[in-house]
Amino acid sequence: MTSPTDSTALWLDFHGTHLDLEVAPGADIDDALAFLGTHLVAEEAKPGESDREPVATLRVHAPDPGRLAPAAGTVTEDIYLRKSASEFFTVPARRAVVDGREYLECTKTGSRFVFDRAARVIDVTLGAGGHMDLVELVRDLVLKHQENTGAAVLHATAAYRDGEVVLVTGAKGAGKSTVLLELVEHFGYQVLSGDKTVLHELPDGSVVAAGWPDYPHLGYGTVAKYPGLKEIAGIGDDYVPAEGHAFSPVGKFAVDPLPFRDRFPSAPVGVRVPVAAILHPAIGPGERTVVEPLTGSRQEHADVLRANVESAFDGANAGWHHYLEDGRAAHADQLARIADVLAGVPAWTLTGPGDLTAENVPPTIGGPAEVAR
C-alpha cells in the first residue's frame, strides 16, 4: 500500500525507446500523458518486471517556484526549446551549466529541467500550463534516441487504413495536412501522423512507418474546408485571411488536439505498418486538383525523399540540451536503405486546391469508392 509521499512510477515506450517516469505527489502530468498517449504507450512500472534500459529517468517534482534553480548569481544564456513563426509554439528559456549539469527554465511557464548525464536522470518541475514543456522534452529525447538507433524521421503526414499507410511528404506549406484530412474525411483513413513520420528498417529489409504525436497546426485554407473545424480552431465567421495566404504557411492556426481527435479519428496506438503509397503535394489556388504519377528514376525519387528527412539534432535550437550525443553517423547506410526502399513505393504528385475525389485519386489510395461521413 502506497503512502501519501510515494511517487508513481511509469514506463513510457515508443518502439524500443524507453523512458522511466517518477511522478511525485502533487505533480500533475495528466495533460502531457493525454497528448503523448496517441503514440506512446504508458504503463505503471512494477519493480522487477522489466529489463528495459531507459534512455533517461524523469523525476517529476511537485510545483515549487524555487525548486531546481541554480544558485543565485549563476550566469545564464537565453535559448529556445522551440522557435516557431507561431508564438503559440515558441518556447523561450534560460540555461546555465553548473558542475556538469544543465539547468533550464522555461520563461513563459516557469517549468524547470535539470539534466544529469552521468546519473542518467532529468529532474523536472512544471509551472502553470507547463504540460507542453514536458511534452517537448519527451519528444526531443525520444526522437533523438530513435535516430541514434537507426530510424529515419520524414517530414510527412501519414494516413492509416487496413494495416497500411499513405505518406504525404513535402516542404512546409506544401499541403500535407490538407491531403491527410482529405483522405480521412472521404476515404475511410485515420490520422497516423500529422507532421512527422518515423520510419524503421526491419531485419528482413522491409520498412514500416510509425506515427508521431504533434499539435495540429493548420492553414486557413485547410481549416475552412471541413465542417466544425473552424470552431475547434477558434476562428470566427468574420475572419478573412491575408491576401495570397489561404494556402500558405503564414498565419497558421494551432488547433486543440482533443476535439481535433474527436473530429478526425486516430490510428490505433503503437502500430507500425508498411507504406502503400506516397503523395507529393504542392497545393494552391486552381480550378481542379491534378494527381499524376511521379516521374523520374528511382534514384531521383530517393533523393526527393532524403531532402524531406529531418532531425531533432539539426536546426538552430537543436542543442537546447546536451543529454544525448548525435550518433546518426553510425546509421548512414541504414538511412540510405530506408530511402531506397521507399523510392520503390508507388508515388504521385498532387497540384491544385487539394480536393480529393474517387475520380482523381489512384485506386491504390482511394479504393473502390469514397466513404461517406
Side-chain angles (χ1 to χ4, degrees), residues 29-341:
I29 64 168
D30 289 350
D31 287 345
L33 292 179
F35 183 98
L36 296 166
T38 53
H39 296 85
L40 277 71
V41 176
E43 299 176 345
E44 184 176 349
K46 298 178 180 179
E49 289 192 5
S50 176
D51 58 358
R52 298 180 289 188
E53 181 68 25
V55 174
T57 296
L58 274 57
R59 299 191 302 209
V60 187
H61 304 274
D64 182 339
R67 188 187 289 270
L68 307 184
T74 301
V75 175
T76 63
E77 60 176 323
D78 293 331
I79 63 166
Y80 289 92
L81 275 66
R82 184 174 183 179
K83 190 172 184 180
S84 169
S86 168
E87 178 64 20
F88 181 89
F89 292 107
T90 297
V91 186
R94 288 189 289 262
R95 176 174 61 195
V97 180
V98 181
D99 296 331
R101 296 181 178 87
E102 288 184 285
Y103 291 75
L104 271 75
E105 179 184 4
C106 301
T107 54
K108 278 185 180 179
T109 62
S111 297
R112 289 195 175 100
F113 307 137
V114 178
F115 297 84
D116 188 336
R117 289 182 60 184
R120 301 184 65 83
V121 167
I122 303 170
D123 286 290
V124 177
T125 182
L126 300 180
H131 69 279
M132 288 305 296
D133 303 329
L134 179 59
V135 166
E136 200 66 29
L137 172 64
V138 169
R139 291 193 302 184
D140 189 80
L141 292 170
V142 171
L143 278 183
K144 286 177 176 175
H145 182 263
Q146 285 280 301
E147 293 181 61
N148 280 346
T149 52
V153 181
L154 190 66
H155 193 202
T157 64
Y160 169 90
R161 192 182 71 179
D162 298 333
E164 296 179 322
V165 297
V166 174
L167 294 182
V168 188
T169 187
K172 184 177 181 180
K176 299 182 296 297
S177 296
T178 294
V179 175
L180 168 68
L181 297 187
E182 283 289 284
L183 293 172
V184 174
E185 186 80 347
H186 301 304
F187 294 93
Y189 285 83
Q190 297 172 312
V191 176
L192 179 68
S193 208
D195 182 62
K196 299 174 177 62
T197 301
V198 182
L199 302 164
H200 298 120
E201 181 187 42
L202 299 183
D204 64 2
S206 62
V207 171
V208 289
W212 185 245
D214 218 320
Y215 213 107
H217 196 208
L218 307 175
Y220 181 79
T222 299
V223 173
K225 291 181 71 172
Y226 307 104
L229 193 48
K230 285 174 64 175
E231 290 77 6
I232 294 172
I235 302 173
D237 292 337
D238 58 347
Y239 176 83
V240 178
E243 185 176 356
H245 288 313
F247 290 95
S248 88
V250 176
K252 283 192 171 185
F253 294 87
V255 179
D256 190 329
L258 296 181
F260 178 85
R261 292 169 192 166
D262 292 336
R263 176 64 179 81
F264 299 100
S266 297
V269 178
V271 297
R272 291 194 309 175
V273 291
V275 179
I278 302 175
L279 291 171
H280 298 269
I283 71 166
E287 293 184 1
R288 64 189 183 95
T289 299
V290 178
V291 183
E292 299 178 313
L294 183 68
T295 59
S297 67
R298 181 165 176 159
Q299 182 59 51
E300 289 170 330
H301 189 195
D303 290 342
V304 170
L305 291 168
R306 274 193 286 270
N308 289 324
V309 170
E310 59 181 72
S311 173
F313 288 105
D314 293 335
N317 306 306
W320 62 270
H321 68 84
H322 301 89
Y323 181 84
L324 292 175
E325 295 181 353
D326 185 349
R328 291 175 294 168
H331 302 282
D333 291 344
Q334 189 171 357
L335 300 186
R337 291 194 300 269
I338 289 173
D340 184 63
V341 169

